[in-house]
Amino acid sequence: AQSVTQLDSQVPVFEEAPVELRCNYSSSVSVYLFWYVQYPNQGLQLLLKYLSGSTLVKGINGFEAEFNKSQTSFHLRKPSVHISDTAEYFCAVRVQGAQKLVFGQGTRLTINP
Amino acid sequence: NAGVTQTPKFRVLKTGQSMTLLCAQDMNHEYMYWYRQDPGMGLRLIHYSVGEGTTAKGEVPDGYNVSRLKKQNFLLGLESAAPSQTSVYFCASSYSTGVVGNQPQHFGDGTRLSIL
């Protein structure tokens, strides 16, 4: 069975600093990878997804992620964060052909002025 | 566009009471899902449905039942609520994953449920 580990439960950064949120997964078969964002008191919104092809994927709000098959990682990055990026971020994986997503535990990103 | 709508947004129940959470989507999605979100545990799948009239168990199905009588609606029922079911519940929907499996899920805003 596949699993997802987000290595940091909380990440505090200063405004305009770069940030990386780490995600590792385990699966014996090919997967699709997703990052979702959850703003306070809201549902999850899709940030970006990796399906195939280029290992660097770009999403909304200036975020990007890089798929590394050898390290089974899908880390999320942004070169310069804003206060409005304060949210919880979830990494998720779906095995090809399966109906279900498996989520990581989430990383709370806090932006300090 | 409404997307995925969950009703109610908040509810407080006493132990042993029953209730039904309603999820409605207007995107003609085949698949629908119910998750619960608890601190430090991410989202865990309770039940899901791949089409009208079909349901399946997810990761944490005990104490919950579901029904999908209409394509646009997915109901989650608690027959006898327990304090351990205090959580935030999210509904999601997506197109069929088919052979590609890349269809993202669209989420509602959640239902905050407290069981006293």
PDB file of all heavy atoms in Angstrom, chain A residues 72-95:
ATOM      1  N   THR A  72      11.914   9.241  -4.426  1.00  0.00           N
ATOM      2  CA  THR A  72      10.467   9.168  -4.138  1.00  0.00           C
ATOM      3  C   THR A  72      10.004  10.408  -3.388  1.00  0.00           C
ATOM      4  O   THR A  72       9.386  10.334  -2.318  1.00  0.00           O
ATOM      5  CB  THR A  72      10.084   7.889  -3.367  1.00  0.00           C
ATOM      6  OG1 THR A  72      10.776   7.864  -2.110  1.00  0.00           O
ATOM      7  CG2 THR A  72      10.408   6.650  -4.157  1.00  0.00           C
ATOM      8  N   SER A  73      10.333  11.574  -3.960  1.00  0.00           N
ATOM      9  CA  SER A  73       9.966  12.827  -3.312  1.00  0.00           C
ATOM     10  C   SER A  73       9.206  13.730  -4.281  1.00  0.00           C
ATOM     11  O   SER A  73       9.307  13.588  -5.501  1.00  0.00           O
ATOM     12  CB  SER A  73      11.208  13.549  -2.797  1.00  0.00           C
ATOM     13  OG  SER A  73      12.014  13.992  -3.878  1.00  0.00           O
ATOM     14  N   PHE A  74       8.476  14.656  -3.705  1.00  0.00           N
ATOM     15  CA  PHE A  74       7.696  15.627  -4.499  1.00  0.00           C
ATOM     16  C   PHE A  74       7.618  16.899  -3.656  1.00  0.00           C
ATOM     17  O   PHE A  74       6.576  17.249  -3.121  1.00  0.00           O
ATOM     18  CB  PHE A  74       6.318  15.057  -4.816  1.00  0.00           C
ATOM     19  CG  PHE A  74       5.525  15.856  -5.821  1.00  0.00           C
ATOM     20  CD1 PHE A  74       6.056  16.189  -7.054  1.00  0.00           C
ATOM     21  CD2 PHE A  74       4.212  16.244  -5.539  1.00  0.00           C
ATOM     22  CE1 PHE A  74       5.317  16.904  -7.988  1.00  0.00           C
ATOM     23  CE2 PHE A  74       3.467  16.964  -6.466  1.00  0.00           C
ATOM     24  CZ  PHE A  74       4.020  17.287  -7.686  1.00  0.00           C
ATOM     25  N   HIS A  75       8.735  17.586  -3.533  1.00  0.00           N
ATOM     26  CA  HIS A  75       8.820  18.762  -2.669  1.00  0.00           C
ATOM     27  C   HIS A  75       8.215  20.001  -3.340  1.00  0.00           C
ATOM     28  O   HIS A  75       8.399  20.233  -4.525  1.00  0.00           O
ATOM     29  CB  HIS A  75      10.281  19.040  -2.302  1.00  0.00           C
ATOM     30  CG  HIS A  75      10.953  17.919  -1.562  1.00  0.00           C
ATOM     31  ND1 HIS A  75      10.255  16.999  -0.796  1.00  0.00           N
ATOM     32  CD2 HIS A  75      12.252  17.570  -1.480  1.00  0.00           C
ATOM     33  CE1 HIS A  75      11.104  16.138  -0.273  1.00  0.00           C
ATOM     34  NE2 HIS A  75      12.325  16.444  -0.671  1.00  0.00           N
ATOM     35  N   LEU A  76       7.554  20.794  -2.538  1.00  0.00           N
ATOM     36  CA  LEU A  76       6.884  22.019  -3.003  1.00  0.00           C
ATOM     37  C   LEU A  76       7.765  23.223  -2.677  1.00  0.00           C
ATOM     38  O   LEU A  76       8.292  23.313  -1.551  1.00  0.00           O
ATOM     39  CB  LEU A  76       5.520  22.152  -2.315  1.00  0.00           C
ATOM     40  CG  LEU A  76       4.661  23.351  -2.672  1.00  0.00           C
ATOM     41  CD1 LEU A  76       4.120  23.198  -4.102  1.00  0.00           C
ATOM     42  CD2 LEU A  76       3.503  23.482  -1.690  1.00  0.00           C
ATOM     43  N   ARG A  77       7.878  24.154  -3.615  1.00  0.00           N
ATOM     44  CA  ARG A  77       8.740  25.316  -3.407  1.00  0.00           C
ATOM     45  C   ARG A  77       8.062  26.596  -3.878  1.00  0.00           C
ATOM     46  O   ARG A  77       7.211  26.574  -4.772  1.00  0.00           O
ATOM     47  CB  ARG A  77      10.060  25.150  -4.174  1.00  0.00           C
ATOM     48  CG  ARG A  77      10.869  23.929  -3.824  1.00  0.00           C
ATOM     49  CD  ARG A  77      12.226  23.931  -4.508  1.00  0.00           C
ATOM     50  NE  ARG A  77      12.954  22.700  -4.215  1.00  0.00           N
ATOM     51  CZ  ARG A  77      13.036  21.663  -5.035  1.00  0.00           C
ATOM     52  NH1 ARG A  77      12.432  21.713  -6.217  1.00  0.00           N
ATOM     53  NH2 ARG A  77      13.720  20.599  -4.688  1.00  0.00           N
ATOM     54  N   LYS A  78       8.489  27.690  -3.252  1.00  0.00           N
ATOM     55  CA  LYS A  78       8.103  29.008  -3.728  1.00  0.00           C
ATOM     56  C   LYS A  78       9.276  29.944  -3.431  1.00  0.00           C
ATOM     57  O   LYS A  78       9.786  29.945  -2.311  1.00  0.00           O
ATOM     58  CB  LYS A  78       6.831  29.512  -3.053  1.00  0.00           C
ATOM     59  CG  LYS A  78       6.334  30.824  -3.640  1.00  0.00           C
ATOM     60  CD  LYS A  78       4.959  31.193  -3.142  1.00  0.00           C
ATOM     61  CE  LYS A  78       4.492  32.485  -3.802  1.00  0.00           C
ATOM     62  NZ  LYS A  78       3.124  32.888  -3.394  1.00  0.00           N
ATOM     63  N   PRO A  79       9.731  30.722  -4.411  1.00  0.00           N
ATOM     64  CA  PRO A  79      10.925  31.535  -4.214  1.00  0.00           C
ATOM     65  C   PRO A  79      10.745  32.719  -3.269  1.00  0.00           C
ATOM     66  O   PRO A  79      11.711  33.184  -2.676  1.00  0.00           O
ATOM     67  CB  PRO A  79      11.263  32.021  -5.635  1.00  0.00           C
ATOM     68  CG  PRO A  79      10.006  31.883  -6.412  1.00  0.00           C
ATOM     69  CD  PRO A  79       9.237  30.768  -5.802  1.00  0.00           C
ATOM     70  N   SER A  80       9.504  33.195  -3.131  1.00  0.00           N
ATOM     71  CA  SER A  80       9.261  34.368  -2.286  1.00  0.00           C
ATOM     72  C   SER A  80       7.821  34.310  -1.787  1.00  0.00           C
ATOM     73  O   SER A  80       6.887  34.467  -2.568  1.00  0.00           O
ATOM     74  CB  SER A  80       9.502  35.653  -3.083  1.00  0.00           C
ATOM     75  OG  SER A  80       9.200  36.793  -2.302  1.00  0.00           O
ATOM     76  N   VAL A  81       7.650  34.094  -0.494  1.00  0.00           N
ATOM     77  CA  VAL A  81       6.291  33.899   0.039  1.00  0.00           C
ATOM     78  C   VAL A  81       5.675  35.217   0.481  1.00  0.00           C
ATOM     79  O   VAL A  81       6.369  36.193   0.781  1.00  0.00           O
ATOM     80  CB  VAL A  81       6.280  32.899   1.211  1.00  0.00           C
ATOM     81  CG1 VAL A  81       6.731  31.532   0.732  1.00  0.00           C
ATOM     82  CG2 VAL A  81       7.135  33.405   2.368  1.00  0.00           C
ATOM     83  N   HIS A  82       4.341  35.207   0.528  1.00  0.00           N
ATOM     84  CA  HIS A  82       3.575  36.362   0.981  1.00  0.00           C
ATOM     85  C   HIS A  82       2.723  35.962   2.172  1.00  0.00           C
ATOM     86  O   HIS A  82       2.446  34.766   2.390  1.00  0.00           O
ATOM     87  CB  HIS A  82       2.687  36.876  -0.154  1.00  0.00           C
ATOM     88  CG  HIS A  82       3.460  37.262  -1.369  1.00  0.00           C
ATOM     89  ND1 HIS A  82       4.184  38.433  -1.469  1.00  0.00           N
ATOM     90  CD2 HIS A  82       3.650  36.599  -2.543  1.00  0.00           C
ATOM     91  CE1 HIS A  82       4.758  38.481  -2.660  1.00  0.00           C
ATOM     92  NE2 HIS A  82       4.467  37.385  -3.325  1.00  0.00           N
ATOM     93  N   ILE A  83       2.272  36.966   2.913  1.00  0.00           N
ATOM     94  CA  ILE A  83       1.396  36.700   4.061  1.00  0.00           C
ATOM     95  C   ILE A  83       0.216  35.841   3.658  1.00  0.00           C
ATOM     96  O   ILE A  83      -0.232  34.965   4.400  1.00  0.00           O
ATOM     97  CB  ILE A  83       0.916  38.020   4.683  1.00  0.00           C
ATOM     98  CG1 ILE A  83       2.073  38.773   5.339  1.00  0.00           C
ATOM     99  CG2 ILE A  83      -0.190  37.766   5.692  1.00  0.00           C
ATOM    100  CD1 ILE A  83       2.564  38.147   6.624  1.00  0.00           C
ATOM    101  N   SER A  84      -0.284  36.068   2.467  1.00  0.00           N
ATOM    102  CA  SER A  84      -1.473  35.346   1.994  1.00  0.00           C
ATOM    103  C   SER A  84      -1.223  33.859   1.750  1.00  0.00           C
ATOM    104  O   SER A  84      -2.170  33.102   1.529  1.00  0.00           O
ATOM    105  CB  SER A  84      -1.991  35.978   0.703  1.00  0.00           C
ATOM    106  OG  SER A  84      -0.983  35.937  -0.299  1.00  0.00           O
ATOM    107  N   ASP A  85       0.035  33.430   1.802  1.00  0.00           N
ATOM    108  CA  ASP A  85       0.353  32.006   1.632  1.00  0.00           C
ATOM    109  C   ASP A  85       0.196  31.223   2.926  1.00  0.00           C
ATOM    110  O   ASP A  85       0.356  29.994   2.936  1.00  0.00           O
ATOM    111  CB  ASP A  85       1.782  31.834   1.109  1.00  0.00           C
ATOM    112  CG  ASP A  85       1.959  32.354  -0.304  1.00  0.00           C
ATOM    113  OD1 ASP A  85       1.025  32.175  -1.115  1.00  0.00           O
ATOM    114  OD2 ASP A  85       3.014  32.946  -0.589  1.00  0.00           O
ATOM    115  N   THR A  86      -0.101  31.906   4.015  1.00  0.00           N
ATOM    116  CA  THR A  86      -0.346  31.225   5.289  1.00  0.00           C
ATOM    117  C   THR A  86      -1.511  30.259   5.131  1.00  0.00           C
ATOM    118  O   THR A  86      -2.635  30.657   4.810  1.00  0.00           O
ATOM    119  CB  THR A  86      -0.665  32.249   6.386  1.00  0.00           C
ATOM    120  OG1 THR A  86       0.474  33.089   6.596  1.00  0.00           O
ATOM    121  CG2 THR A  86      -1.027  31.558   7.688  1.00  0.00           C
ATOM    122  N   ALA A  87      -1.235  28.988   5.330  1.00  0.00           N
ATOM    123  CA  ALA A  87      -2.247  27.951   5.103  1.00  0.00           C
ATOM    124  C   ALA A  87      -1.643  26.609   5.497  1.00  0.00           C
ATOM    125  O   ALA A  87      -0.475  26.524   5.878  1.00  0.00           O
ATOM    126  CB  ALA A  87      -2.671  27.915   3.632  1.00  0.00           C
ATOM    127  N   GLU A  88      -2.453  25.571   5.373  1.00  0.00           N
ATOM    128  CA  GLU A  88      -1.943  24.213   5.543  1.00  0.00           C
ATOM    129  C   GLU A  88      -1.847  23.575   4.170  1.00  0.00           C
ATOM    130  O   GLU A  88      -2.756  23.724   3.339  1.00  0.00           O
ATOM    131  CB  GLU A  88      -2.843  23.388   6.465  1.00  0.00           C
ATOM    132  CG  GLU A  88      -2.225  22.054   6.857  1.00  0.00           C
ATOM    133  CD  GLU A  88      -2.717  21.545   8.196  1.00  0.00           C
ATOM    134  OE1 GLU A  88      -3.762  22.008   8.667  1.00  0.00           O
ATOM    135  OE2 GLU A  88      -2.032  20.662   8.777  1.00  0.00           O
ATOM    136  N   TYR A  89      -0.768  22.848   3.950  1.00  0.00           N
ATOM    137  CA  TYR A  89      -0.486  22.262   2.647  1.00  0.00           C
ATOM    138  C   TYR A  89      -0.427  20.747   2.771  1.00  0.00           C
ATOM    139  O   TYR A  89       0.204  20.209   3.675  1.00  0.00           O
ATOM    140  CB  TYR A  89       0.836  22.809   2.097  1.00  0.00           C
ATOM    141  CG  TYR A  89       0.760  24.285   1.768  1.00  0.00           C
ATOM    142  CD1 TYR A  89       0.853  25.239   2.770  1.00  0.00           C
ATOM    143  CD2 TYR A  89       0.559  24.717   0.461  1.00  0.00           C
ATOM    144  CE1 TYR A  89       0.741  26.593   2.478  1.00  0.00           C
ATOM    145  CE2 TYR A  89       0.458  26.060   0.155  1.00  0.00           C
ATOM    146  CZ  TYR A  89       0.548  26.995   1.171  1.00  0.00           C
ATOM    147  OH  TYR A  89       0.432  28.341   0.878  1.00  0.00           O
ATOM    148  N   PHE A  90      -1.113  20.090   1.849  1.00  0.00           N
ATOM    149  CA  PHE A  90      -1.191  18.637   1.875  1.00  0.00           C
ATOM    150  C   PHE A  90      -0.634  18.050   0.588  1.00  0.00           C
ATOM    151  O   PHE A  90      -1.010  18.472  -0.513  1.00  0.00           O
ATOM    152  CB  PHE A  90      -2.640  18.176   2.027  1.00  0.00           C
ATOM    153  CG  PHE A  90      -3.242  18.483   3.373  1.00  0.00           C
ATOM    154  CD1 PHE A  90      -3.963  19.656   3.566  1.00  0.00           C
ATOM    155  CD2 PHE A  90      -3.087  17.606   4.431  1.00  0.00           C
ATOM    156  CE1 PHE A  90      -4.519  19.952   4.795  1.00  0.00           C
ATOM    157  CE2 PHE A  90      -3.646  17.889   5.674  1.00  0.00           C
ATOM    158  CZ  PHE A  90      -4.365  19.062   5.859  1.00  0.00           C
ATOM    159  N   CYS A  91       0.219  17.063   0.744  1.00  0.00           N
ATOM    160  CA  CYS A  91       0.710  16.273  -0.363  1.00  0.00           C
ATOM    161  C   CYS A  91      -0.160  15.020  -0.462  1.00  0.00           C
ATOM    162  O   CYS A  91      -0.604  14.487   0.565  1.00  0.00           O
ATOM    163  CB  CYS A  91       2.165  15.889  -0.106  1.00  0.00           C
ATOM    164  SG  CYS A  91       2.966  14.937  -1.397  1.00  0.00           S
ATOM    165  N   ALA A  92      -0.448  14.571  -1.674  1.00  0.00           N
ATOM    166  CA  ALA A  92      -1.297  13.392  -1.848  1.00  0.00           C
ATOM    167  C   ALA A  92      -0.815  12.577  -3.032  1.00  0.00           C
ATOM    168  O   ALA A  92      -0.238  13.112  -3.983  1.00  0.00           O
ATOM    169  CB  ALA A  92      -2.758  13.796  -2.048  1.00  0.00           C
ATOM    170  N   VAL A  93      -1.070  11.288  -2.983  1.00  0.00           N
ATOM    171  CA  VAL A  93      -0.654  10.365  -4.037  1.00  0.00           C
ATOM    172  C   VAL A  93      -1.821   9.474  -4.432  1.00  0.00           C
ATOM    173  O   VAL A  93      -2.646   9.091  -3.610  1.00  0.00           O
ATOM    174  CB  VAL A  93       0.552   9.505  -3.567  1.00  0.00           C
ATOM    175  CG1 VAL A  93       0.171   8.649  -2.371  1.00  0.00           C
ATOM    176  CG2 VAL A  93       1.063   8.631  -4.685  1.00  0.00           C
ATOM    177  N   ARG A  94      -1.891   9.194  -5.724  1.00  0.00           N
ATOM    178  CA  ARG A  94      -2.867   8.233  -6.223  1.00  0.00           C
ATOM    179  C   ARG A  94      -2.145   7.230  -7.113  1.00  0.00           C
ATOM    180  O   ARG A  94      -1.432   7.627  -8.029  1.00  0.00           O
ATOM    181  CB  ARG A  94      -3.952   8.924  -7.029  1.00  0.00           C
ATOM    182  CG  ARG A  94      -4.876   7.940  -7.772  1.00  0.00           C
ATOM    183  CD  ARG A  94      -5.877   8.671  -8.613  1.00  0.00           C
ATOM    184  NE  ARG A  94      -7.026   9.100  -7.834  1.00  0.00           N
ATOM    185  CZ  ARG A  94      -7.780  10.154  -8.154  1.00  0.00           C
ATOM    186  NH1 ARG A  94      -7.481  10.872  -9.208  1.00  0.00           N
ATOM    187  NH2 ARG A  94      -8.821  10.465  -7.408  1.00  0.00           N
ATOM    188  N   VAL A  95      -2.349   5.970  -6.817  1.00  0.00           N
ATOM    189  CA  VAL A  95      -1.767   4.919  -7.649  1.00  0.00           C
ATOM    190  C   VAL A  95      -2.501   4.896  -8.987  1.00  0.00           C
ATOM    191  O   VAL A  95      -3.715   5.062  -9.022  1.00  0.00           O
ATOM    192  CB  VAL A  95      -1.879   3.556  -6.937  1.00  0.00           C
ATOM    193  CG1 VAL A  95      -1.521   2.421  -7.882  1.00  0.00           C
ATOM    194  CG2 VAL A  95      -1.003   3.530  -5.711  1.00  0.00           C
TER     195      VAL A  95
END
